[in-house]
Amino acid sequence: MIRAYDEIYLDDAKESLGSALEYAVLVAKLEGQRFFDLFIACGLADEFGRGNVKYLCGMSGIELCREVLSKCGIEPPVKTEMEHIDYPAEYWIGWILAQYQWYNGKTFSAICKRIGYLDLYNLYGILHEADPGKSMDVLGKIMKASKGTNLAALRKYRRLSQSQLAQASGISIRSIQLYEQKKSDINHAQYNHLNAMAKVLGCRIGDLLE
């Protein structure tokens, strides 16, 4: 698999997202899932996932979190520092999510539709001291075991009905139903079908594949 950015930036990326989530939860007092949603909604998750070095390593995690809040119209906390805590659960969740997004190659949006903040929080006690490779295996199994298809998850996230997606993309509603029911293999779908749906859903073609 071709990664979105070189592995030399991965440690910085994990540190940045880990610290951003830690600051969001412990200082800004946001729910972890709320921060994920804001990170994705403001567009910085896409920039981060594509390897924009401004966000991977050009700013601290605290600065990243504050920029997410500002872009979403939320006043960042006055406090710009964190008390030292030896890698709390919040830090590990951001850290491992950055690792998995790089490893998996899908967008944060596609991943977070199937692996939520609470899923990661519940894995902290089991995996935070394990080799990252084990975490990649566990998260991969969760992705595969999640009910429904990537297409259905992304469509619902965008609050579109099947008929609305069909109308906006120009793809027949029957084709969309067959893809979501796995009666037609979306991995072998026509490129123009995939491209049209991806544009409407604001994702990459790879995010639709199973």
PDB file of all heavy atoms in Angstrom, residues 35-69:
ATOM      1  N   PHE A  35     -14.660  15.935  19.828  1.00  0.00           N
ATOM      2  CA  PHE A  35     -13.448  16.445  19.188  1.00  0.00           C
ATOM      3  C   PHE A  35     -13.207  15.750  17.853  1.00  0.00           C
ATOM      4  O   PHE A  35     -12.849  16.398  16.863  1.00  0.00           O
ATOM      5  CB  PHE A  35     -12.222  16.276  20.087  1.00  0.00           C
ATOM      6  CG  PHE A  35     -10.953  16.708  19.403  1.00  0.00           C
ATOM      7  CD1 PHE A  35     -10.686  18.045  19.189  1.00  0.00           C
ATOM      8  CD2 PHE A  35     -10.045  15.763  18.926  1.00  0.00           C
ATOM      9  CE1 PHE A  35      -9.529  18.456  18.530  1.00  0.00           C
ATOM     10  CE2 PHE A  35      -8.895  16.154  18.257  1.00  0.00           C
ATOM     11  CZ  PHE A  35      -8.627  17.506  18.067  1.00  0.00           C
ATOM     12  N   PHE A  36     -13.386  14.436  17.812  1.00  0.00           N
ATOM     13  CA  PHE A  36     -13.251  13.722  16.544  1.00  0.00           C
ATOM     14  C   PHE A  36     -14.165  14.337  15.485  1.00  0.00           C
ATOM     15  O   PHE A  36     -13.749  14.582  14.351  1.00  0.00           O
ATOM     16  CB  PHE A  36     -13.631  12.244  16.712  1.00  0.00           C
ATOM     17  CG  PHE A  36     -12.577  11.386  17.348  1.00  0.00           C
ATOM     18  CD1 PHE A  36     -12.844  10.053  17.627  1.00  0.00           C
ATOM     19  CD2 PHE A  36     -11.325  11.875  17.664  1.00  0.00           C
ATOM     20  CE1 PHE A  36     -11.894   9.232  18.209  1.00  0.00           C
ATOM     21  CE2 PHE A  36     -10.360  11.070  18.252  1.00  0.00           C
ATOM     22  CZ  PHE A  36     -10.650   9.737  18.521  1.00  0.00           C
ATOM     23  N   ASP A  37     -15.424  14.581  15.856  1.00  0.00           N
ATOM     24  CA  ASP A  37     -16.398  15.129  14.916  1.00  0.00           C
ATOM     25  C   ASP A  37     -15.976  16.511  14.418  1.00  0.00           C
ATOM     26  O   ASP A  37     -16.104  16.819  13.230  1.00  0.00           O
ATOM     27  CB  ASP A  37     -17.782  15.214  15.567  1.00  0.00           C
ATOM     28  CG  ASP A  37     -18.388  13.846  15.858  1.00  0.00           C
ATOM     29  OD1 ASP A  37     -17.917  12.855  15.280  1.00  0.00           O
ATOM     30  OD2 ASP A  37     -19.321  13.776  16.680  1.00  0.00           O
ATOM     31  N   LEU A  38     -15.476  17.346  15.326  1.00  0.00           N
ATOM     32  CA  LEU A  38     -15.019  18.688  14.939  1.00  0.00           C
ATOM     33  C   LEU A  38     -13.779  18.615  14.060  1.00  0.00           C
ATOM     34  O   LEU A  38     -13.658  19.369  13.076  1.00  0.00           O
ATOM     35  CB  LEU A  38     -14.721  19.517  16.190  1.00  0.00           C
ATOM     36  CG  LEU A  38     -15.900  19.860  17.102  1.00  0.00           C
ATOM     37  CD1 LEU A  38     -15.408  20.547  18.364  1.00  0.00           C
ATOM     38  CD2 LEU A  38     -16.912  20.729  16.381  1.00  0.00           C
ATOM     39  N   PHE A  39     -12.865  17.749  14.400  1.00  0.00           N
ATOM     40  CA  PHE A  39     -11.624  17.551  13.643  1.00  0.00           C
ATOM     41  C   PHE A  39     -11.948  17.196  12.193  1.00  0.00           C
ATOM     42  O   PHE A  39     -11.346  17.719  11.251  1.00  0.00           O
ATOM     43  CB  PHE A  39     -10.825  16.439  14.328  1.00  0.00           C
ATOM     44  CG  PHE A  39      -9.483  16.126  13.728  1.00  0.00           C
ATOM     45  CD1 PHE A  39      -8.576  17.125  13.419  1.00  0.00           C
ATOM     46  CD2 PHE A  39      -9.116  14.796  13.517  1.00  0.00           C
ATOM     47  CE1 PHE A  39      -7.314  16.813  12.894  1.00  0.00           C
ATOM     48  CE2 PHE A  39      -7.874  14.477  12.995  1.00  0.00           C
ATOM     49  CZ  PHE A  39      -6.975  15.480  12.685  1.00  0.00           C
ATOM     50  N   ILE A  40     -12.936  16.336  12.017  1.00  0.00           N
ATOM     51  CA  ILE A  40     -13.353  15.916  10.678  1.00  0.00           C
ATOM     52  C   ILE A  40     -14.141  17.023   9.982  1.00  0.00           C
ATOM     53  O   ILE A  40     -13.884  17.346   8.819  1.00  0.00           O
ATOM     54  CB  ILE A  40     -14.185  14.625  10.759  1.00  0.00           C
ATOM     55  CG1 ILE A  40     -13.308  13.455  11.209  1.00  0.00           C
ATOM     56  CG2 ILE A  40     -14.845  14.302   9.419  1.00  0.00           C
ATOM     57  CD1 ILE A  40     -14.083  12.221  11.644  1.00  0.00           C
ATOM     58  N   ALA A  41     -15.083  17.627  10.697  1.00  0.00           N
ATOM     59  CA  ALA A  41     -15.982  18.616  10.094  1.00  0.00           C
ATOM     60  C   ALA A  41     -15.246  19.849   9.585  1.00  0.00           C
ATOM     61  O   ALA A  41     -15.630  20.414   8.556  1.00  0.00           O
ATOM     62  CB  ALA A  41     -17.054  19.022  11.104  1.00  0.00           C
ATOM     63  N   CYS A  42     -14.199  20.278  10.287  1.00  0.00           N
ATOM     64  CA  CYS A  42     -13.505  21.514   9.886  1.00  0.00           C
ATOM     65  C   CYS A  42     -12.514  21.299   8.755  1.00  0.00           C
ATOM     66  O   CYS A  42     -11.938  22.260   8.235  1.00  0.00           O
ATOM     67  CB  CYS A  42     -12.798  22.141  11.090  1.00  0.00           C
ATOM     68  SG  CYS A  42     -11.288  21.298  11.608  1.00  0.00           S
ATOM     69  N   GLY A  43     -12.290  20.045   8.367  1.00  0.00           N
ATOM     70  CA  GLY A  43     -11.397  19.759   7.245  1.00  0.00           C
ATOM     71  C   GLY A  43      -9.961  19.469   7.620  1.00  0.00           C
ATOM     72  O   GLY A  43      -9.169  19.027   6.770  1.00  0.00           O
ATOM     73  N   LEU A  44      -9.587  19.690   8.886  1.00  0.00           N
ATOM     74  CA  LEU A  44      -8.192  19.458   9.274  1.00  0.00           C
ATOM     75  C   LEU A  44      -7.850  17.975   9.313  1.00  0.00           C
ATOM     76  O   LEU A  44      -6.687  17.602   9.115  1.00  0.00           O
ATOM     77  CB  LEU A  44      -7.894  20.103  10.630  1.00  0.00           C
ATOM     78  CG  LEU A  44      -7.886  21.633  10.661  1.00  0.00           C
ATOM     79  CD1 LEU A  44      -7.290  22.134  11.965  1.00  0.00           C
ATOM     80  CD2 LEU A  44      -7.124  22.212   9.482  1.00  0.00           C
ATOM     81  N   ALA A  45      -8.843  17.122   9.548  1.00  0.00           N
ATOM     82  CA  ALA A  45      -8.568  15.682   9.534  1.00  0.00           C
ATOM     83  C   ALA A  45      -8.110  15.240   8.156  1.00  0.00           C
ATOM     84  O   ALA A  45      -7.192  14.422   8.017  1.00  0.00           O
ATOM     85  CB  ALA A  45      -9.819  14.901   9.950  1.00  0.00           C
ATOM     86  N   ASP A  46      -8.733  15.784   7.106  1.00  0.00           N
ATOM     87  CA  ASP A  46      -8.320  15.447   5.743  1.00  0.00           C
ATOM     88  C   ASP A  46      -6.917  15.953   5.461  1.00  0.00           C
ATOM     89  O   ASP A  46      -6.104  15.255   4.846  1.00  0.00           O
ATOM     90  CB  ASP A  46      -9.298  16.035   4.725  1.00  0.00           C
ATOM     91  CG  ASP A  46     -10.590  15.240   4.631  1.00  0.00           C
ATOM     92  OD1 ASP A  46     -10.594  14.065   5.044  1.00  0.00           O
ATOM     93  OD2 ASP A  46     -11.599  15.795   4.162  1.00  0.00           O
ATOM     94  N   GLU A  47      -6.623  17.173   5.892  1.00  0.00           N
ATOM     95  CA  GLU A  47      -5.281  17.735   5.683  1.00  0.00           C
ATOM     96  C   GLU A  47      -4.235  16.899   6.431  1.00  0.00           C
ATOM     97  O   GLU A  47      -3.170  16.590   5.897  1.00  0.00           O
ATOM     98  CB  GLU A  47      -5.239  19.186   6.168  1.00  0.00           C
ATOM     99  CG  GLU A  47      -6.066  20.152   5.350  1.00  0.00           C
ATOM    100  CD  GLU A  47      -5.559  20.282   3.930  1.00  0.00           C
ATOM    101  OE1 GLU A  47      -4.333  20.275   3.718  1.00  0.00           O
ATOM    102  OE2 GLU A  47      -6.399  20.377   3.011  1.00  0.00           O
ATOM    103  N   PHE A  48      -4.543  16.543   7.648  1.00  0.00           N
ATOM    104  CA  PHE A  48      -3.654  15.725   8.477  1.00  0.00           C
ATOM    105  C   PHE A  48      -3.435  14.368   7.822  1.00  0.00           C
ATOM    106  O   PHE A  48      -2.306  13.911   7.663  1.00  0.00           O
ATOM    107  CB  PHE A  48      -4.286  15.561   9.854  1.00  0.00           C
ATOM    108  CG  PHE A  48      -3.374  15.026  10.923  1.00  0.00           C
ATOM    109  CD1 PHE A  48      -2.765  15.879  11.822  1.00  0.00           C
ATOM    110  CD2 PHE A  48      -3.151  13.655  11.055  1.00  0.00           C
ATOM    111  CE1 PHE A  48      -1.943  15.386  12.830  1.00  0.00           C
ATOM    112  CE2 PHE A  48      -2.338  13.151  12.053  1.00  0.00           C
ATOM    113  CZ  PHE A  48      -1.723  14.022  12.942  1.00  0.00           C
ATOM    114  N   GLY A  49      -4.529  13.735   7.417  1.00  0.00           N
ATOM    115  CA  GLY A  49      -4.450  12.403   6.827  1.00  0.00           C
ATOM    116  C   GLY A  49      -3.733  12.368   5.496  1.00  0.00           C
ATOM    117  O   GLY A  49      -3.149  11.350   5.122  1.00  0.00           O
ATOM    118  N   ARG A  50      -3.783  13.482   4.762  1.00  0.00           N
ATOM    119  CA  ARG A  50      -3.092  13.559   3.470  1.00  0.00           C
ATOM    120  C   ARG A  50      -1.613  13.849   3.622  1.00  0.00           C
ATOM    121  O   ARG A  50      -0.859  13.798   2.653  1.00  0.00           O
ATOM    122  CB  ARG A  50      -3.737  14.634   2.591  1.00  0.00           C
ATOM    123  CG  ARG A  50      -5.019  14.199   1.909  1.00  0.00           C
ATOM    124  CD  ARG A  50      -5.368  15.134   0.767  1.00  0.00           C
ATOM    125  NE  ARG A  50      -5.781  16.439   1.246  1.00  0.00           N
ATOM    126  CZ  ARG A  50      -7.058  16.794   1.392  1.00  0.00           C
ATOM    127  NH1 ARG A  50      -8.021  15.939   1.103  1.00  0.00           N
ATOM    128  NH2 ARG A  50      -7.366  17.999   1.818  1.00  0.00           N
ATOM    129  N   GLY A  51      -1.210  14.213   4.848  1.00  0.00           N
ATOM    130  CA  GLY A  51       0.214  14.447   5.073  1.00  0.00           C
ATOM    131  C   GLY A  51       0.651  15.891   4.975  1.00  0.00           C
ATOM    132  O   GLY A  51       1.819  16.175   4.705  1.00  0.00           O
ATOM    133  N   ASN A  52      -0.267  16.828   5.222  1.00  0.00           N
ATOM    134  CA  ASN A  52       0.096  18.241   5.236  1.00  0.00           C
ATOM    135  C   ASN A  52       1.010  18.488   6.436  1.00  0.00           C
ATOM    136  O   ASN A  52       0.583  18.405   7.583  1.00  0.00           O
ATOM    137  CB  ASN A  52      -1.169  19.105   5.339  1.00  0.00           C
ATOM    138  CG  ASN A  52      -0.884  20.591   5.226  1.00  0.00           C
ATOM    139  OD1 ASN A  52       0.174  21.070   5.612  1.00  0.00           O
ATOM    140  ND2 ASN A  52      -1.851  21.333   4.696  1.00  0.00           N
ATOM    141  N   VAL A  53       2.279  18.794   6.152  1.00  0.00           N
ATOM    142  CA  VAL A  53       3.266  18.882   7.238  1.00  0.00           C
ATOM    143  C   VAL A  53       2.971  20.016   8.215  1.00  0.00           C
ATOM    144  O   VAL A  53       3.453  19.990   9.352  1.00  0.00           O
ATOM    145  CB  VAL A  53       4.700  19.028   6.683  1.00  0.00           C
ATOM    146  CG1 VAL A  53       5.114  17.774   5.934  1.00  0.00           C
ATOM    147  CG2 VAL A  53       4.824  20.253   5.783  1.00  0.00           C
ATOM    148  N   LYS A  54       2.172  20.983   7.794  1.00  0.00           N
ATOM    149  CA  LYS A  54       1.791  22.051   8.724  1.00  0.00           C
ATOM    150  C   LYS A  54       1.099  21.471   9.940  1.00  0.00           C
ATOM    151  O   LYS A  54       1.309  21.942  11.075  1.00  0.00           O
ATOM    152  CB  LYS A  54       0.854  23.043   8.021  1.00  0.00           C
ATOM    153  CG  LYS A  54       0.303  24.123   8.951  1.00  0.00           C
ATOM    154  CD  LYS A  54      -0.655  25.053   8.219  1.00  0.00           C
ATOM    155  CE  LYS A  54      -1.249  26.075   9.179  1.00  0.00           C
ATOM    156  NZ  LYS A  54      -2.191  26.990   8.480  1.00  0.00           N
ATOM    157  N   TYR A  55       0.285  20.437   9.717  1.00  0.00           N
ATOM    158  CA  TYR A  55      -0.484  19.845  10.809  1.00  0.00           C
ATOM    159  C   TYR A  55       0.197  18.618  11.394  1.00  0.00           C
ATOM    160  O   TYR A  55      -0.001  18.303  12.568  1.00  0.00           O
ATOM    161  CB  TYR A  55      -1.895  19.506  10.329  1.00  0.00           C
ATOM    162  CG  TYR A  55      -2.602  20.723   9.795  1.00  0.00           C
ATOM    163  CD1 TYR A  55      -2.842  20.887   8.437  1.00  0.00           C
ATOM    164  CD2 TYR A  55      -2.976  21.749  10.653  1.00  0.00           C
ATOM    165  CE1 TYR A  55      -3.457  22.037   7.950  1.00  0.00           C
ATOM    166  CE2 TYR A  55      -3.584  22.897  10.182  1.00  0.00           C
ATOM    167  CZ  TYR A  55      -3.824  23.044   8.830  1.00  0.00           C
ATOM    168  OH  TYR A  55      -4.414  24.180   8.346  1.00  0.00           O
ATOM    169  N   LEU A  56       0.983  17.906  10.590  1.00  0.00           N
ATOM    170  CA  LEU A  56       1.684  16.725  11.104  1.00  0.00           C
ATOM    171  C   LEU A  56       2.770  17.105  12.092  1.00  0.00           C
ATOM    172  O   LEU A  56       2.921  16.481  13.138  1.00  0.00           O
ATOM    173  CB  LEU A  56       2.322  15.940   9.954  1.00  0.00           C
ATOM    174  CG  LEU A  56       1.409  15.208   8.975  1.00  0.00           C
ATOM    175  CD1 LEU A  56       2.257  14.475   7.946  1.00  0.00           C
ATOM    176  CD2 LEU A  56       0.500  14.231   9.696  1.00  0.00           C
ATOM    177  N   CYS A  57       3.552  18.104  11.732  1.00  0.00           N
ATOM    178  CA  CYS A  57       4.701  18.420  12.584  1.00  0.00           C
ATOM    179  C   CYS A  57       5.005  19.915  12.665  1.00  0.00           C
ATOM    180  O   CYS A  57       5.979  20.309  13.311  1.00  0.00           O
ATOM    181  CB  CYS A  57       5.943  17.670  12.095  1.00  0.00           C
ATOM    182  SG  CYS A  57       6.369  17.990  10.363  1.00  0.00           S
ATOM    183  N   GLY A  58       4.188  20.740  12.013  1.00  0.00           N
ATOM    184  CA  GLY A  58       4.454  22.175  12.017  1.00  0.00           C
ATOM    185  C   GLY A  58       3.851  22.914  13.192  1.00  0.00           C
ATOM    186  O   GLY A  58       4.079  24.115  13.359  1.00  0.00           O
ATOM    187  N   MET A  59       3.081  22.218  13.990  1.00  0.00           N
ATOM    188  CA  MET A  59       2.490  22.832  15.186  1.00  0.00           C
ATOM    189  C   MET A  59       2.361  21.773  16.264  1.00  0.00           C
ATOM    190  O   MET A  59       2.364  20.575  15.978  1.00  0.00           O
ATOM    191  CB  MET A  59       1.121  23.444  14.877  1.00  0.00           C
ATOM    192  CG  MET A  59       0.086  22.487  14.315  1.00  0.00           C
ATOM    193  SD  MET A  59      -1.570  23.249  14.083  1.00  0.00           S
ATOM    194  CE  MET A  59      -1.206  24.567  12.943  1.00  0.00           C
ATOM    195  N   SER A  60       2.250  22.206  17.482  1.00  0.00           N
ATOM    196  CA  SER A  60       2.088  21.263  18.592  1.00  0.00           C
ATOM    197  C   SER A  60       0.668  20.720  18.596  1.00  0.00           C
ATOM    198  O   SER A  60      -0.235  21.249  17.928  1.00  0.00           O
ATOM    199  CB  SER A  60       2.367  21.961  19.923  1.00  0.00           C
ATOM    200  OG  SER A  60       1.339  22.897  20.217  1.00  0.00           O
ATOM    201  N   GLY A  61       0.453  19.668  19.370  1.00  0.00           N
ATOM    202  CA  GLY A  61      -0.885  19.126  19.502  1.00  0.00           C
ATOM    203  C   GLY A  61      -1.849  20.136  20.094  1.00  0.00           C
ATOM    204  O   GLY A  61      -3.017  20.204  19.691  1.00  0.00           O
ATOM    205  N   ILE A  62      -1.383  20.919  21.036  1.00  0.00           N
ATOM    206  CA  ILE A  62      -2.232  21.952  21.636  1.00  0.00           C
ATOM    207  C   ILE A  62      -2.633  22.968  20.575  1.00  0.00           C
ATOM    208  O   ILE A  62      -3.803  23.365  20.484  1.00  0.00           O
ATOM    209  CB  ILE A  62      -1.503  22.639  22.805  1.00  0.00           C
ATOM    210  CG1 ILE A  62      -1.335  21.653  23.979  1.00  0.00           C
ATOM    211  CG2 ILE A  62      -2.252  23.895  23.260  1.00  0.00           C
ATOM    212  CD1 ILE A  62      -0.513  22.190  25.126  1.00  0.00           C
ATOM    213  N   GLU A  63      -1.688  23.371  19.751  1.00  0.00           N
ATOM    214  CA  GLU A  63      -1.989  24.322  18.678  1.00  0.00           C
ATOM    215  C   GLU A  63      -2.963  23.721  17.670  1.00  0.00           C
ATOM    216  O   GLU A  63      -3.841  24.410  17.148  1.00  0.00           O
ATOM    217  CB  GLU A  63      -0.697  24.754  17.990  1.00  0.00           C
ATOM    218  CG  GLU A  63       0.192  25.630  18.860  1.00  0.00           C
ATOM    219  CD  GLU A  63       1.576  25.844  18.282  1.00  0.00           C
ATOM    220  OE1 GLU A  63       2.049  24.972  17.507  1.00  0.00           O
ATOM    221  OE2 GLU A  63       2.196  26.880  18.599  1.00  0.00           O
ATOM    222  N   LEU A  64      -2.795  22.428  17.398  1.00  0.00           N
ATOM    223  CA  LEU A  64      -3.704  21.753  16.475  1.00  0.00           C
ATOM    224  C   LEU A  64      -5.126  21.771  17.031  1.00  0.00           C
ATOM    225  O   LEU A  64      -6.086  22.098  16.311  1.00  0.00           O
ATOM    226  CB  LEU A  64      -3.248  20.312  16.247  1.00  0.00           C
ATOM    227  CG  LEU A  64      -4.175  19.437  15.395  1.00  0.00           C
ATOM    228  CD1 LEU A  64      -4.314  19.991  13.981  1.00  0.00           C
ATOM    229  CD2 LEU A  64      -3.644  17.995  15.348  1.00  0.00           C
ATOM    230  N   CYS A  65      -5.282  21.422  18.279  1.00  0.00           N
ATOM    231  CA  CYS A  65      -6.608  21.429  18.904  1.00  0.00           C
ATOM    232  C   CYS A  65      -7.214  22.822  18.890  1.00  0.00           C
ATOM    233  O   CYS A  65      -8.394  22.994  18.540  1.00  0.00           O
ATOM    234  CB  CYS A  65      -6.520  20.915  20.336  1.00  0.00           C
ATOM    235  SG  CYS A  65      -8.111  20.940  21.206  1.00  0.00           S
ATOM    236  N   ARG A  66      -6.435  23.812  19.219  1.00  0.00           N
ATOM    237  CA  ARG A  66      -6.947  25.183  19.262  1.00  0.00           C
ATOM    238  C   ARG A  66      -7.369  25.651  17.867  1.00  0.00           C
ATOM    239  O   ARG A  66      -8.348  26.382  17.719  1.00  0.00           O
ATOM    240  CB  ARG A  66      -5.893  26.117  19.867  1.00  0.00           C
ATOM    241  CG  ARG A  66      -5.651  25.850  21.364  1.00  0.00           C
ATOM    242  CD  ARG A  66      -4.532  26.720  21.920  1.00  0.00           C
ATOM    243  NE  ARG A  66      -4.908  28.119  21.940  1.00  0.00           N
ATOM    244  CZ  ARG A  66      -5.598  28.702  22.929  1.00  0.00           C
ATOM    245  NH1 ARG A  66      -5.981  27.978  23.988  1.00  0.00           N
ATOM    246  NH2 ARG A  66      -5.883  29.978  22.882  1.00  0.00           N
ATOM    247  N   GLU A  67      -6.652  25.210  16.847  1.00  0.00           N
ATOM    248  CA  GLU A  67      -7.030  25.586  15.475  1.00  0.00           C
ATOM    249  C   GLU A  67      -8.336  24.900  15.076  1.00  0.00           C
ATOM    250  O   GLU A  67      -9.183  25.505  14.408  1.00  0.00           O
ATOM    251  CB  GLU A  67      -5.922  25.236  14.483  1.00  0.00           C
ATOM    252  CG  GLU A  67      -6.263  25.637  13.061  1.00  0.00           C
ATOM    253  CD  GLU A  67      -5.062  26.045  12.230  1.00  0.00           C
ATOM    254  OE1 GLU A  67      -3.973  26.258  12.795  1.00  0.00           O
ATOM    255  OE2 GLU A  67      -5.225  26.167  11.012  1.00  0.00           O
ATOM    256  N   VAL A  68      -8.499  23.635  15.476  1.00  0.00           N
ATOM    257  CA  VAL A  68      -9.764  22.938  15.206  1.00  0.00           C
ATOM    258  C   VAL A  68     -10.918  23.702  15.842  1.00  0.00           C
ATOM    259  O   VAL A  68     -11.945  23.963  15.196  1.00  0.00           O
ATOM    260  CB  VAL A  68      -9.719  21.494  15.758  1.00  0.00           C
ATOM    261  CG1 VAL A  68     -11.119  20.872  15.756  1.00  0.00           C
ATOM    262  CG2 VAL A  68      -8.766  20.632  14.936  1.00  0.00           C
ATOM    263  N   LEU A  69     -10.762  24.086  17.100  1.00  0.00           N
ATOM    264  CA  LEU A  69     -11.824  24.801  17.798  1.00  0.00           C
ATOM    265  C   LEU A  69     -12.128  26.140  17.125  1.00  0.00           C
ATOM    266  O   LEU A  69     -13.298  26.502  16.927  1.00  0.00           O
ATOM    267  CB  LEU A  69     -11.440  25.016  19.260  1.00  0.00           C
ATOM    268  CG  LEU A  69     -11.248  23.750  20.109  1.00  0.00           C
ATOM    269  CD1 LEU A  69     -10.852  24.130  21.536  1.00  0.00           C
ATOM    270  CD2 LEU A  69     -12.501  22.902  20.119  1.00  0.00           C
TER     271      LEU A  69
END
